[in-house]
Amino acid sequence: MGVIGKDFKYTVVPNFLDQGEIDLLTQYTEIMHRTNTKNFDFHISEVGDTNCHGDPVFDSLLLTKKRIMEKTTGLKLLPTYSFWRMYTKYAILRKHKDRPACEISVTVHIGSDGTPWPIYMDGKPINTKPGDAAIYMGPVVEHFRERFMGDWHSQVFLHYVNAEGPHANEYRDGRAYWGIERNY
C-alpha cells in the first residue's frame, strides 16, 4: 500500500535519483544554464533563472519515474509534465498551491553549490540533498522557498494525476507529444 490516504499531504523520499542520474542531470542543467539564451525567469530572481517546461530529458525522467511514483503513492498515475529550474542568487519561490495538472507532484533536488535551501510544505521546512525528493499534493499543500543566498540550485518538478481521479484529462498537460513545451 502506498502513502496516499485521505490525510496524506507530503512525504520525503531519500535517494529518488541514483548517483549516475544526479551526475548526468547536474551536468545537463549546468550546461543548459550556461548556454541559455531564451528561457529566463526574472519574476523570482534578480539575476534570471533558467527554466524549462517539457524538456525532453526531464519528460523522459517523468516517464521513467512513473513506476516508483505509483509504488510510493499506491495510485495508478498519468504523467502530465516536467519543469526544471536552475535557481540563482536571490531567487524566491512564493507561497502557492498548484493547478490540477500537478495533483501529485514530486520536487527533486538535482544539485547545488551546497547552500541549504529548504522547501516549506504547509509551513514546515524540508531540507534535501542531491537525489532526494518530496512527493506532495500540489493543489492541496501550500509550498514555498525563502530567498536563496547561494550561487545555484538545480531542481526538477515532475507532475502526475490520479488515472482514476477527476483530473485524468490533464494527461500530458494538453500537449500532443512528450518533450515539447505547452502552448498556454
Side-chain angles (χ1 to χ4, degrees), residues 5-132:
K6 71 175 186 134
D7 296 326
F8 174 79
K9 289 191 175 184
Y10 63 87
T11 191
V12 176
V13 179
N15 304 310
F16 186 81
L17 300 178
D18 65 33
Q19 192 59 53
E21 291 168 325
I22 294 167
D23 294 344
L24 174 75
L25 297 174
T26 297
Q27 290 299 313
Y28 180 78
T29 58
E30 286 180 6
I31 290 168
M32 292 296 287
H33 180 65
R34 279 192 216 107
T35 60
N36 180 20
T37 60
K38 64 177 184 158
N39 292 319
F40 288 107
D41 185 348
F42 291 99
H43 294 101
I44 68 162
S45 170
E46 297 169 15
V47 178
D49 294 344
T50 298
N51 65 77
C52 189
H53 175 282
D55 178 286
V57 169
F58 286 105
D59 268 4
S60 296
L61 187 69
L62 172 78
L63 297 171
T64 60
K65 292 299 181 178
K66 178 178 172 267
R67 190 171 305 139
I68 192 170
M69 287 293 294
E70 288 180 331
K71 182 177 180 185
T72 304
T73 63
L75 297 173
K76 183 178 178 194
L77 300 175
L78 295 173
T80 57
Y81 73 99
S82 66
F83 181 85
W84 74 268
R85 182 183 297 274
M86 176 69 77
Y87 292 96
T88 56
K89 191 164 186 119
Y90 306 126
I92 189 167
L93 179 62
R94 299 189 196 301
K95 287 182 184 179
H96 70 284
K97 293 180 182 178
D98 296 328
R99 60 191 176 94
C102 311
E103 182 180 16
I104 297 139
S105 295
V106 59
T107 181
V108 186
H109 183 165
I110 296 170
S112 70
D113 65 359
T115 303
W117 196 39
I119 187 164
Y120 289 80
M121 300 275 179
D122 280 343
K124 296 180 181 132
I126 297 172
N127 284 296
T128 57
K129 62 182 191 236
D132 291 350

